[in-house]
Amino acid sequence: MKHRPVLISGASIAGPALAFWLARYGFRPIVVERAGALRLGGQNIDVRGAARKVVRRMGIEDEIRAATTGEQGLRFVDEHGVTRAEFPVENADAGGFTKELEILRGDLARILYDRTRDTTEYIFGDQITGLRDHGDRVTVSFEHGAERDVDLVVAADGIRSRTRTLIVGDEPRIRQFGLYGSYFTIPRGASDSAWARWYNAPGRRAILLRPDNVGTTRASLWFLSRERGHERSSVAEQKALLASVYADAGWEAPRVLAGLAHAEDAYFEAVSQVMAPRWSHGRAALVGDAAYCPSPLSGMGASLALVGAYVLAGELSRHADPRDAFAAYEKLLRPHVDRAQKLPPGIPWIAYPKSRPGISVLHRVVRLASSPLARRLQGRLGSSPADTIELPDYANGG
């Protein structure tokens, strides 16, 4: 088992996390990333439930805590900026929008990279273009580099994974919700604070402003549309679409659109889930969003990536035959993923009312949900999807 090379596609969260554990178990991880350097941009993510145990076992919980955004919770506001309901930061993993370990995606990626750069070979500016599985090894072709023989290949390159297609073809189904989101950074304004603010505009539109730890504000625009394919447009076309959709949205929309016009980090997506009937084939497997993206609606993307990487590496350390390891990985993780991907009825439509009366109803509902009594009842209803897995202690044989 010692020094068996494992090629991982993707250097965001799942890839470096997998590399961390593989190196600890004696494998030789190699990470190839299409971008020319580590991508340090991105919005807020959180580490919750079982993922908290994973980062604790990695020894990086304190680093994550030191890099948190400082967000104090979420406020629902109306067109005048008046708070209609608020959800303060939760110290527990059940309930609430803001978690105790709230961090920018790029900051978590940097922490994971720093912890693995000495034990992992990183190849930036290249990508996998072909796989030939020989039964005892895999020959990998690259866009730029020379072919390499490796023991295993793992796709960890996100919801749009190209490597996934090379492993399991077109089997995975991309489930879309008709919800589009755009994320970008804007200058901090006088109205910004340590609280995130959510604003609903008529026409099934919303604006979310969140604080970060570097003196700027992370903005995102969300809207429901029955038209499809906006994610395939150019950045300029997407910005023009958002300017049109939010032209009469009110509240701080003019400020946000002005920031969008100059944002260099704007990212646009069709909110989706990856529903894959299997996560492996031969000597190759999928992990993280490439295998089971739960969508931002679940709030579980980063946590599933961390837990999935931990379980996959642990099972590979236990089994001589990688196919047995992949089967064990899926058997343990699949129920956890299924629960994370199961969204409450009516989501996302109920969160994006069409009319002002509908928005008033939403405000009344969230105000009731934010009451102390409702929060106590929620805490008694049981664990959240983030907690619904018992993690083996692979290092100690448990």
Side-chain angles (χ1 to χ4, degrees):
M1 181 183 297
K2 292 291 185 181
H3 310 303
R4 289 161 56 187
V6 179
L7 180 65
I8 304 165
S9 176
S12 183
I13 305 301
L18 178 62
F20 175 94
W21 291 109
L22 288 176
R24 176 166 291 189
Y25 299 138
F27 293 84
R28 181 162 62 87
I30 306 160
V31 175
V32 60
E33 166 58 45
R34 183 175 58 174
L38 196 67
R39 295 181 296 110
L40 296 177
Q43 295 283 312
N44 306 48
I45 58 176
D46 59 66
V47 179
R48 62 177 77 178
R52 289 278 297 276
K53 297 178 182 177
V54 171
V55 299
R56 195 170 296 135
R57 291 176 185 180
M58 296 175 81
I60 62 173
E61 183 180 16
D62 288 344
E63 287 182 74
I64 293 174
R65 194 177 300 279
T68 54
T69 62
E71 186 173 285
Q72 294 300 301
L74 172 69
R75 286 173 172 156
F76 284 81
V77 300
D78 63 18
E79 65 271 24
H80 305 294
V82 176
T83 299
R84 295 301 182 180
E86 67 178 35
F87 296 83
V89 62
E90 290 284 340
N91 291 324
D93 279 314
F97 176 81
T98 304
K99 300 300 179 184
E100 184 181 1
L101 295 185
E102 197 85 31
I103 185 172
L104 295 177
R105 189 211 64 83
D107 286 346
L108 181 55
R110 176 186 52 77
I111 290 171
L112 293 170
Y113 174 72
D114 288 344
R115 283 298 184 108
T116 55
R117 61 191 305 177
D118 294 333
T119 57
T120 300
E121 177 186 354
Y122 278 90
I123 304 169
F124 290 100
D126 209 345
Q127 62 182 320
I128 297 172
T129 57
L131 301 174
R132 298 197 304 277
D133 192 329
H134 304 287
D136 61 345
R137 70 190 191 286
V138 182
T139 300
V140 184
S141 302
F142 299 89
E143 185 175 34
H144 302 297
E147 287 188 346
R148 298 177 70 154
D149 281 350
V150 296
D151 197 62
L152 306 169
V153 174
V154 180
D157 43 356
I159 189 171
R160 299 176 183 175
S161 171
R162 299 181 181 184
T163 313
R164 176 180 62 220
T165 304
L166 299 174
I167 297 173
V168 294
D170 296 327
E171 290 180 3
R173 177 173 62 91
I174 307 300
R175 179 190 180 195
Q176 295 192 353
F177 297 90
L179 177 64
Y180 291 91
S182 180
Y183 315 83
F184 48 96
T185 305
I186 63 175
R188 187 174 175 86
S191 60
D192 295 328
S193 70
W195 285 79
R197 291 179 294 154
W198 177 276
Y199 166 72
N200 285 95
R204 304 195 185 282
R205 299 169 292 175
I207 300 174
L208 176 61
L209 300 180
R210 307 185 72 174
D212 62 23
N213 57 338
V214 292
T216 53
T217 293
R218 306 290 162 143
S220 57
L221 300 173
W222 305 88
F223 68 97
L224 280 160
S225 172
R226 297 194 182 277
E227 296 183 22
R228 296 290 190 268
H230 296 307
E231 73 279 8
R232 294 190 292 271
S233 302
S234 68
V235 173
E237 290 171 332
Q238 291 165 353
K239 287 187 175 184
L241 171 67
L242 292 167
S244 174
V245 170
Y246 283 86
D248 62 347
W251 190 53
E252 298 193 23
R255 168 206 170 192
V256 174
L257 291 176
L260 171 64
H262 297 94
E264 297 181 356
D265 62 344
Y267 176 77
F268 190 98
E269 71 168 330
V271 174
S272 310
Q273 292 180 331
V274 175
M275 319 298 286
R278 57 175 172 162
W279 300 339
S280 66
H281 177 70
R283 302 186 74 84
L286 316 174
V287 72
D289 279 356
Y292 35 76
C293 175
S295 87
L297 298 172
S298 72
M300 287 281 292
S303 294
L304 280 183
L306 291 165
V307 172
Y310 173 81
V311 173
L312 176 55
E315 295 301 334
L316 284 169
S317 74
R318 281 182 169 180
H319 295 86
D321 188 327
R323 287 164 283 261
D324 294 336
F326 295 156
Y329 154 66
E330 184 163 347
K331 181 180 180 180
L332 177 60
L333 197 64
R334 176 74 73 170
H336 183 54
V337 168
D338 288 346
R339 284 186 285 266
Q341 290 187 324
K342 186 176 182 180
L343 302 175
I347 296 296
W349 290 89
I350 60 174
Y352 299 85
K354 185 176 181 179
S355 64
R356 291 193 183 279
I359 293 172
S360 296
V361 171
L362 174 66
H363 285 164
R364 288 196 292 272
V365 170
V366 293
R367 186 164 59 246
L368 177 62
S370 68
S371 68
L373 176 59
R375 294 167 67 79
R376 284 197 299 271
L377 289 174
Q378 184 181 31
R380 294 173 184 173
L381 290 178
S383 61
S384 75
D387 299 306
T388 56
I389 185 172
E390 188 66 34
L391 293 177
D393 186 354
Y394 294 107
N396 295 311

